[in-house]
Amino acid sequence: MQPDRPLAIEAHGVGKRHGRQWVLRHLDLDIPAGSSMVLLGANGSGKSSLLRMLCGFDAPSEGAVAWHRGDHALTRYHVPGHMAYCAPDQSLILDLTVREHIEAHRRFRASFTGMDTDDVLRLALLEGHPDSRVRDLSSGMRQRLSLSLAFTTASAALFLDEPVSHLDRDGRAWYANLIAEWRRGRTLVVASNHNPEEHPEDSARFEIGN
């Protein structure tokens, strides 16, 4: 898979219902291939639900989402294999060591050519903790590990939910460099609680709940 064919996404009349409660309704948005979009909303606004529909994890309750790589259309079931995702509640395997976790991830998802486990350790600033259990890492360390795995996965798009959660000031500076160095032309979609540190300045903005 080459990142030179980024993912394009179109959503038409999209809504999401949990039980009898509608979280989102009648949303339309267009995310061109290789662009950056930030989904802005307060806690509980539905931005995470929208992000999960855009990356194919969840089906909309109404409306439709379409995905393309070049001239090739993708179904919702194929999209997760073409993207990388990171969220604060993302499950890491706590009983694995950091090195074991990176190696397990690499068995299921290809990394960029030339990247090895030690490269990911260095990128995540965890080269001093390869044999530490993931459960023993601080929340900031775990967030750096999750983000590093997402950004080094060979993919057509990146979907990030409040990516600076758990990161301190140095961690947020590290994240800004991660976007600058490792986005590599991929489509980027970020769900943010109006935090400008979480997305590039030139990102298209989609406000939820206004």
Side-chain angles (χ1 to χ4, degrees):
M1 181 186 301
Q2 297 299 321
D4 59 350
R5 295 178 58 217
L7 193 67
I9 311 165
E10 295 179 1
H12 302 286
V14 164
K16 188 64 179 178
R17 182 176 61 193
H18 297 302
R20 296 183 178 181
Q21 180 68 38
W22 284 96
V23 179
L24 301 165
R25 297 211 74 180
H26 311 309
L27 299 184
D28 298 290
L29 67 161
D30 180 12
I31 305 175
S35 67
S36 174
M37 175 170 281
V38 56
L39 311 175
L40 295 167
N43 291 336
S45 63
K47 62 183 182 296
S48 295
S49 294
L50 178 56
L51 187 73
R52 290 181 61 85
M53 288 188 287
L54 294 177
C55 69
F57 286 168
D58 297 335
S61 303
E62 65 179 4
V65 183
W67 301 268
H68 291 83
R69 290 193 70 196
D71 296 329
H72 182 58
L74 302 177
T75 70
R76 181 171 72 88
Y77 301 102
H78 292 113
V79 171
H82 294 265
M83 64 86 182
Y85 173 86
C86 182
D89 60 353
Q90 180 175 344
S91 296
L92 295 172
I93 306 173
L94 300 180
D95 287 333
L96 295 183
T97 68
V98 175
R99 181 179 295 278
E100 288 170 343
H101 204 299
I102 294 170
E103 291 174 347
H105 181 89
R106 285 163 52 81
R107 280 197 292 271
F108 290 99
R109 298 299 305 274
S111 299
F112 280 114
T113 302
M115 290 291 295
D116 62 20
T117 298
D118 288 335
D119 292 325
V120 181
L121 280 167
R122 284 189 289 271
L123 180 63
L125 306 182
L126 293 172
E127 60 267 45
H129 303 272
D131 299 318
S132 297
R133 298 287 176 187
V134 173
R135 71 169 62 255
D136 296 327
L137 300 179
S138 69
S139 59
M141 289 176 173
R142 288 197 293 270
Q143 185 70 356
R144 292 201 310 270
L145 175 60
S146 295
L147 286 165
S148 296
L149 291 173
F151 273 82
T152 58
T153 296
S155 59
L158 292 160
F159 294 86
L160 310 176
D161 195 349
E162 299 190 5
V164 302
S165 295
H166 309 305
L167 296 181
D168 60 15
R169 182 176 61 183
D170 290 340
R172 294 193 297 272
W174 169 88
Y175 169 74
N177 185 69
L178 191 69
I179 287 185
E181 298 294 327
W182 285 92
R183 180 181 167 191
R184 299 192 173 188
R186 289 176 284 183
T187 304
L188 175 66
V189 186
V190 179
S192 175
N193 191 354
H194 295 88
N195 187 336
E197 293 181 299
E198 296 189 309
H199 57 88
E201 288 185 9
D202 62 350
S203 299
R205 300 163 65 90
F206 188 85
E207 297 271 357
I208 301 171
N210 288 340

